[in-house]
Amino acid sequence: QPERGKPMRNCYSLPGPDFTYGMYMHKRDGGVPEAIGHWDAVKAKAHPRKRVMPRDFVAMGRAAVDEGCTTAREFALYYGYMDIRCKDKGILRYGGKAPPGMTFGKPPRPPTPFFDLMQHRYKELWMEEQRARTRVQHVVKKKVGTMGEVRENRTTFLRTHPLPVKEESFWHLQRFEKVQAPQIPSPDQRQLFWAS
């Protein structure tokens, strides 16, 4: 029976203190001292085998035509003399060496001089550009003015001769027009009406 006030005990017995949980690595399991004092370095291959690329007949044919070869015999002699190989596009993919002048990534932006920022040099350069631009615009306008009148197009004609303003129509439907109320005749008018 389980003890009162205590959870049931597991029926499995645990292994002793010398037991290692998980997988034991014979080569690397040296603890912290081995991890600090030992580096796993991959040994380089002594002489990597150089890949022999196939001949580039398209480039050789193009070069032979540039040299003036016209017959099959001349082409065969040229192919025996010149040996142009295809370029290895996957040279870095297959573990080849990078060319000596090759740089990976994007070149960094040149640093901004802090002294120019403090003196507002960039603002002054921008202002000079704006002044030069306005000077050029004034010169262009003067040249256009001296060359003669600009040809008139529809827009300039409508600016100088605006269209006549439409007169507003006051026509309305008869039912919406105001009907004058009948005038009440004066007594003199009534007498004249009945007399006639």
Side-chain angles (χ1 to χ4, degrees), residues 52-59 83-89:
V52 178
M53 297 301 293
R55 297 177 81 183
D56 192 359
F57 286 100
V58 175
D83 188 23
I84 301 173
R85 300 282 174 173
C86 293
K87 293 179 181 176
D88 190 3
K89 294 179 180 176

Side-chain angles (χ1 to χ4, degrees), residues 34-93:
E34 187 181 341
I36 292 173
H38 176 68
W39 290 96
D40 282 335
V42 179
K43 293 179 182 177
K45 294 178 182 177
H47 293 288
R49 198 176 79 193
K50 191 174 181 180
R51 290 180 62 209
V52 178
M53 297 301 293
R55 297 177 81 183
D56 192 359
F57 286 100
V58 175
M60 284 194 295
R62 208 175 282 141
V65 169
D66 290 342
E67 290 292 326
C69 299
T70 53
T71 62
R73 186 173 183 279
E74 290 174 349
F75 271 93
L77 288 172
Y78 188 84
Y79 288 165
Y81 176 67
M82 291 294 290
D83 188 23
I84 301 173
R85 300 282 174 173
C86 293
K87 293 179 181 176
D88 190 3
K89 294 179 180 176
I91 187 168
L92 298 177
R93 195 181 310 153

Side-chain angles (χ1 to χ4, degrees), residues 72-160:
R73 186 173 183 279
E74 290 174 349
F75 271 93
L77 288 172
Y78 188 84
Y79 288 165
Y81 176 67
M82 291 294 290
D83 188 23
I84 301 173
R85 300 282 174 173
C86 293
K87 293 179 181 176
D88 190 3
K89 294 179 180 176
I91 187 168
L92 298 177
R93 195 181 310 153
Y94 297 111
K97 291 184 179 178
M102 187 169 185
T103 307
F104 291 97
K106 195 175 175 183
R109 191 171 62 88
T112 305
F114 193 70
F115 195 66
D116 289 350
L117 286 175
M118 294 294 288
Q119 287 188 333
H120 302 289
R121 177 79 182 137
Y122 297 106
K123 183 190 94 172
E124 295 298 327
L125 288 172
W126 184 81
M127 293 291 286
E128 286 174 16
E129 287 176 7
Q130 297 304 315
R131 287 186 204 114
R133 186 180 292 168
T134 50
R135 269 188 246 122
V136 169
Q137 286 174 353
H138 285 304
V139 169
V140 169
K141 281 184 183 176
K142 284 182 183 176
K143 282 184 181 177
V144 168
T146 57
M147 286 170 59
E149 291 187 13
V150 181
R151 267 182 27 194
E152 195 170 291
N153 56 14
R154 182 177 169 80
T155 306
T156 55
F157 181 79
L158 288 175
R159 283 182 186 154
T160 53

